[in-house]
Amino acid sequence: MEQEGHWGDGHMYPEPDEQPEYPWAGPSRTTRQTPSRDYHDDHPMLGDRSIDESSRTDEDEDDFLDDSSNDEDIDRYLRRHRPVDGDRSSDEDFVDSDLSEDDAEEIDLSDASISDTDFAERPIAGFEKTLLRKFEKQLDGSPEDKMGKGGRKGRPKGALGPRKAAAPSPEIKAMLAQANAAFLAERFNEAERIAKDIILKNNEIYDAYTILAEVQQVEGDPAGSTLTFILGAHLKPKDPEVWRNCAYRALQHREQVNDKACLQQAVYCLSRAIATDPEDIKTKFERASLFRELGYHRKAANEYLRLLSTFPNDPTILKTLAEVCVEMNDVQRAVEAFDQAFDGLREQDVSFGDKLGWADINAYVKLFDHIKDYGKAIKQLKRLSRWLLGRQEEAYWDLVIEDDREWDLEDSPRRIEVADYIPSRFDLATYGSGMPLEIRMKLGEYRLKFGHEHFDEALEHFNWLDPDDDTEGAKLHEFPDLFKDAGNALFNAGYPQNALTFFEAIQFADGSADASTYIAMAKCYEKENLLNEAEECLKTALEIDIENIEALVRLAKVYQDKGIADKASEHVTLAMKLGRNNKANKKALQDILKGTNKSGSGLLKFFEGAKRGGYYKRKTLTPSQLAEEDISRTEKMKLLQLNLHSLKDRMRTGDDEATLAWMQVATMMRREFLNNRFLNHPSDRGYVFLGFSREAKRLSMKGRRALDVPGPYEILKNVQNGEIHLTEPVPTAYRGISFDTWLDIFLDFAICLVRKGDTEAAYTALNQTMFCNIFYHSPEHMHRINTCWIACAIHAQDEATACKVARSFTRDFTFNSDGFRLYSLVSRLCQTSTSWFNSQSAQKFMMRQIHVMDKGYYSKSKTKRNGAAMEKPKINVVLLTLYGHMMLIGGSYAPAIHWFYRAAAQDPQNPMLNLSIALAYIHHSLKRQSDNRHYFIMQGLHFLFKYYDIRKAAPKPEQRQEAEYNVGRTFHLIGLNHLAVPYYERTLQVAAEAQVNGNIASAPDLKFTRDAAYNLRTMYAMTGNMGLAGEVTQKWLSI
């Protein structure tokens, strides 16, 4: 008798009309043809420039063949799917059980479910399509399963709901073990095949989905991995942790796949987790945040309102709700929520300060800026401030609405005129001086909204800032932003002369007067028709920010009003050029023009006239005039370069005044260099700078096809080798300054920016420098730019950027160990988490380096780079060790041991490798899944003592101390304290032998001394030996 086989839902063979689908017959991944690129085309900081977004199609976004029916399969599966493990959640479980019907309709989570848009970036592969159909068929049941007695339709016998998942058969268990073993051995194709076979045999095995998802993750398919996790999660519908894990995985891949699709997947998974565990407040907060990020502001607001019902009067929820309501233009809703919170506190007779504070009052009153209800704003501001100061009993102040005498500094002359006021009832500090300046400024601003008759009252509030005080302890140095707010409020109300008092005071606050401050002063001077003063302010603003579009446009208008048409046209042209550079500048220019036009300045009309040529005509220069202008500009650049040189030493020592002066000069020089299209051609990286002549430009732009060379790097090399002859030699300087000097200026400028704390501006400056074609095609110049970029990232403690740029060195200096050491070094210097050191992208990059190394080492043919034969690479121990440490930090101890063994085969006496293998074994033994704990510990101790023997033979005392400490710390780790104590004691003994006259500071390199002493003291104290603990503390841990 034949053994019964399995097909589909347990049938021996497929139905005659059923077309079987196999996992290996599904759509195959397409292989993209990668065009030839320059040696640095893969620079990690150039990704956005290398792709023309307008030319990309939907097919470029995924690696699978499109199938228009896949979207329908997903929708149908998620509508009809029912979990198979225990009690099944109904469709209503997608919505929180604590929602009313109206709210459920309001917050329909269909937008957050896995619909067509969720996976638009990645159509489902053939295997997954087959799997979804099998799910539907199994969960719906066959027609016979739905028949009752006598062939009638009805509910089958037994308990309600589908059956529970069957226990895995021995065959399935064996296949799972094989899949796990293959995954740990990094045979990912085999693990993927076995996992798919398991699912086709029994699609109720959750572990199979987990293995398949992990394989897809490793193979660089984050979208497929997330989808597989979500499919598997339906097998555990009542486990909220599974759904939360799916949501977090979807969010991890936002940068790699469609951002909105990942957010929608995360919302769907969090909604399922909430349906399973309605009391999970943290998950509700996370879902509300995702609603807001997706732009579903109404859903986010409703979520926060429900959270507010659970946590009434919570300030964080109230302020977040206020932000959401402002974004959705429904501020009244947030005001009502705050009012309800205040009323609730008042009914509970709770001290206001115990629940809410001044920051919450400030957030509340700012909402009235949007609804323009300034009367209620003043009333609520004073009432809440009174309550917070403990004077809620003095409700009679609500009747005093014509002024704010309640908040005067002294009782006399105005406050005592109120009949109900009792001077000695409350402390005087609970009146005028008790109100924070931030709240008082809002009170003054709202007073101005009621017209000129309230101007004196508003000015009294603003004068609390004391703008005439410029001493060291003045309020100006502590609250410069409040001075700007007061000045803006006065200017907008039509009092520019009073506004100038506050703006001019900001100049005396260190570092507070930025470009916007001087622009605001210029606007006040324009209102007063003081054009010379306005011009000086705008020039100062441009010295601070030379690319400030608003300052350029306003200065052009000032010149036009003064009758200086040439300067006006020059600034208009520069503003138009900056507006064309990028979308942000263009939008800023439009906003500025629209805003100034509304204020009646006529700036928009002037600017449009300038664009039509009504205010200026382009100059036409003769050849002799052009030559004279060129000589003049060259002399100016040389003078500026001399100024830079005179300030350079003081700038590099950190002199703030010299640094500011140096940066102002460098900014003018950078602008001159970057405006030259021969040197800076960022739109075309294929353009090679060969000179300023037409012949050089024609060769640079069109020579590749005629010369039959693969890229710009080869063109430049052929010119340098003399294979291509030019009438004029390739220039080595611009404006009489060598290109190396120009690069020094650019790099110093970036370093100055990062030292001032403006990291993003420093990165932008380096990016502009890198895209200058004169530098882009020079390996030496690119090396210097990358080195400076790493220095800036380290100074800013930006590990992500530092690691990305460090990878370029490992690529440019292939198979050179120093590049990999540099990568480890920058991660060490950036004192942040290790998430970037062993990130997924970093692991993939290093694995590609290993593949290239292995291919070159084991290949019989020679490896080539840029058409030139390369020396056959050797097995790089540093690279293998680096990748092993990435695995080790991530907790993947078994793969880490594999890579450490490969490295140790080349350098068996390397102490670092032996220590790393020892720690990998011992940490692996401490894992819960470890099946032979003692074996792993013994293996680890073998390599640990091998490391110990190597280090003990070292001549330096710090190396011997390191060996003693590491062995002791390892025994301490596994709980063998009695074995750790002798090694800790010998660690201290080495330090004692290295001391001079008993001075611990005389042995500065023995960095393990205090660690060993602290651990030893702790062990003594825990065992009750306080005497020895005290001796160790007194000798080694006392300052």
Side-chain angles (χ1 to χ4, degrees), residues 122-133:
R122 180 191 175 276
I124 300 178
F127 167 74
E128 291 156 331
K129 179 178 174 184
T130 305
L131 180 61
L132 289 176
R133 290 178 178 174

Side-chain angles (χ1 to χ4, degrees), residues 1004-1034:
D1005 293 334
L1006 302 180
K1007 55 187 176 182
F1008 297 102
T1009 304
R1010 294 190 184 276
D1011 292 333
Y1014 179 82
N1015 293 343
L1016 193 59
R1017 184 210 66 170
T1018 303
M1019 287 191 291
Y1020 285 152
M1022 292 181 65
T1023 57
N1025 195 338
M1026 304 306 295
L1028 284 177
E1031 290 179 9
V1032 172
T1033 303
Q1034 183 66 29

Side-chain angles (χ1 to χ4, degrees), residues 287-583:
R287 186 176 69 172
S289 176
L290 294 182
F291 277 148
R292 183 182 178 187
E293 198 167 350
L294 277 166
Y296 302 155
H297 296 116
R298 193 165 301 280
K299 296 180 180 181
N302 288 341
E303 190 76 76
Y304 284 122
L305 285 172
R306 285 192 296 278
L307 289 169
L308 201 59
S309 64
T310 306
F311 299 99
N313 314 324
D314 185 280
T316 303
I317 301 177
L318 285 170
K319 286 188 282 190
T320 309
L321 176 63
E323 295 172 0
V324 173
C325 290
V326 169
E327 293 170 357
M328 63 187 289
N329 199 22
D330 189 6
V331 181
Q332 187 61 39
R333 198 173 188 181
V335 173
E336 293 172 358
F338 269 100
D339 290 340
Q340 291 176 5
F342 298 146
D343 294 341
L345 290 175
R346 191 175 293 110
E347 292 174 0
Q348 299 171 16
D349 194 20
V350 178
S351 176
F352 187 72
D354 295 340
K355 296 292 184 180
L356 300 174
W358 291 111
D360 306 305
I361 295 178
N362 194 26
Y364 171 61
V365 297
K366 283 182 178 180
L367 295 174
F368 293 99
D369 293 338
H370 300 276
I371 60 178
K372 313 298 183 185
D373 191 353
Y374 304 114
K376 182 179 178 181
I378 293 176
K379 179 179 178 181
Q380 289 292 87
L381 186 152
K382 296 197 293 185
R383 176 183 294 176
L384 295 172
S385 299
R386 187 185 316 124
W387 191 9
L388 190 57
L389 291 170
R391 296 189 294 108
Q392 60 268 28
E393 300 173 12
E394 294 188 337
Y396 56 85
W397 287 112
D398 291 337
L399 303 177
V400 183
I401 61 175
E402 65 277 3
D403 57 38
D404 304 320
R405 65 181 65 189
E406 175 189 2
W407 301 101
D408 290 350
L409 180 62
E410 301 292 342
D411 289 342
S412 178
R414 298 197 305 174
R415 194 158 52 223
I416 58 176
E417 295 177 354
V418 179
D420 295 327
Y421 175 63
I422 302 174
S424 59
R425 186 177 182 184
F426 294 100
D427 188 358
L428 192 63
T430 61
Y431 291 92
S433 59
M435 176 180 283
L437 288 175
E438 293 88 343
I439 305 298
R440 188 176 287 277
M441 293 305 105
K442 297 303 295 184
L443 188 55
E445 181 180 343
Y446 293 148
R447 279 294 174 189
L448 283 177
K449 301 295 184 180
F450 287 97
H452 181 70
E453 59 273 15
H454 290 265
F455 168 71
D456 292 334
E457 191 72 29
L459 196 58
E460 284 293 327
H461 291 299
F462 293 144
N463 284 336
W464 275 72
L465 294 173
D466 198 3
D468 296 328
D469 183 9
D470 58 354
T471 60
E472 185 176 350
K475 296 183 178 67
L476 169 65
H477 303 290
E478 187 176 358
F479 305 104
D481 291 339
L482 296 184
F483 279 75
K484 294 180 182 179
D485 294 341
N488 288 327
L490 288 167
F491 177 80
N492 294 332
Y495 302 99
Q497 189 172 1
N498 299 94
L500 275 171
T501 304
F502 294 90
F503 287 132
E504 289 175 345
I506 301 175
Q507 300 177 85
F508 300 100
D510 296 336
S512 300
D514 55 7
S516 63
T517 303
Y518 289 99
I519 292 173
M521 292 172 59
K523 290 160 67 176
C524 295
Y525 284 126
E526 287 182 52
K527 284 286 185 180
E528 297 294 318
N529 201 28
L530 300 174
L531 298 183
N532 291 333
E533 289 79 356
E535 178 185 352
E536 292 301 320
C537 289
L538 292 171
K539 286 181 178 179
T540 305
L542 287 173
E543 289 177 1
I544 298 174
D545 182 6
I546 197 170
E547 295 186 353
N548 191 297
I549 293 181
E550 183 176 5
L552 286 169
V553 175
R554 288 195 171 278
L555 186 56
K557 179 64 170 61
V558 169
Y559 283 136
Q560 179 63 29
D561 293 341
K562 294 177 68 174
I564 310 176
D566 290 343
K567 288 189 175 181
S569 63
E570 178 183 348
H571 287 78
V572 167
T573 304
L574 182 56
M576 293 169 61
K577 184 175 182 179
L578 290 174
R580 288 193 298 265
N581 283 349
N582 56 58
K583 293 182 179 179

Side-chain angles (χ1 to χ4, degrees), residues 70 100 157 174-175 370 454 486 519 648 698 721 886 991:
N70 283 332
S100 63
K157 290 183 178 181
M175 294 177 70
H370 300 276
H454 290 265
I519 292 173
K648 186 175 182 179
R698 185 166 52 253
N721 294 338
M886 287 182 172

